[in-house]
């Protein structure tokens, strides 16, 4: 049913729950899994960093992203899935669009993503990458909500 499952990851509990669900599906359907982590480098490319080496800062952000991706890949392997892992770079783009573009180019059949399920004022202030992805994705999106309990 789902041959290619696309999973955006970060270092949150919500992301870990989504990864677990994606691995269950991947094992059930013998799917290929792609784990991605987006690093936004634009915030360090201009303004306010005159006193810092922006190139070194961007390198550090990429390294931190690689570490997040490595940890998610290790967890997937523990769960019996050999993932493909990729860092995606954003230069001020909406993260939802970066994710949707890569999922489409890769040929994903399903996107599995965690969501915090924020409501009210917090949602209004912060927005939601998950909500943005729902609006722009061309394939089904499975949102996994983390309640703080396992």
């Amino acid at each position: 049913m789902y041959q290619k499952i696309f999973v955006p990851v970060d270092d949150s509990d919500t992301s870990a729950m989504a990864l677990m669900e994606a691995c269950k599906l991947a094992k059930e359907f013998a799917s290929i899994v792609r784990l991605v982590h987006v690093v936004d480098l634009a915030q360090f490319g201009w303004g306010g960093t005159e006193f810092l080496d922006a190139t070194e800062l961007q390198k550090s952000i990429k390294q931190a992203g690689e570490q997040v991706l490595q940890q998610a890949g290790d967890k997937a392997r523990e769960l019996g899935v050999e993932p493909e892992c990729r860092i995606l770079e954003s230069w001020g783009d909406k993260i939802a669009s970066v994710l949707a573009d890569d999922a489409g180019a890769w040929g994903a059949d399903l996107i599995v993503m965690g969501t915090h399920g924020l409501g009210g004022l917090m949602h209004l202030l912060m927005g939601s990458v998950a909500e943005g992805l729902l609006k722009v994705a061309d394939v089904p999106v499975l949102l996994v909500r983390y309640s703080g309990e396992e």
Side-chain angles (χ1 to χ4, degrees), residues 16-95:
M17 294 295 290
L19 177 59
M20 287 174 37
E21 192 63 31
C23 288
K24 287 180 198 173
L25 290 169
K27 286 170 67 175
E28 178 74 24
F29 298 117
S31 306
I32 299 168
V33 173
R34 176 180 242 181
L35 305 180
V36 298
H37 179 77
V38 179
V39 293
D40 186 0
L41 300 174
Q43 59 187 320
F44 302 107
W46 58 274
T49 59
E50 299 88 18
F51 305 107
L52 301 172
D53 182 351
T55 303
E56 282 301 310
L57 207 46
Q58 289 171 347
K59 183 178 174 184
S60 293
I61 295 297
K62 286 182 186 180
Q63 288 174 337
E66 290 285 354
Q67 185 175 9
V68 167
L69 200 54
Q70 179 66 42
Q71 290 170 346
D74 290 346
K75 183 64 177 175
R77 284 184 280 281
E78 285 176 24
L79 295 169
V81 173
E82 184 59 43
E84 171 184 317
C85 299
R86 184 160 186 231
I87 286 286
L88 303 177
E89 293 180 6
S90 170
W91 289 90
D93 304 307
K94 291 190 178 204
I95 292 176

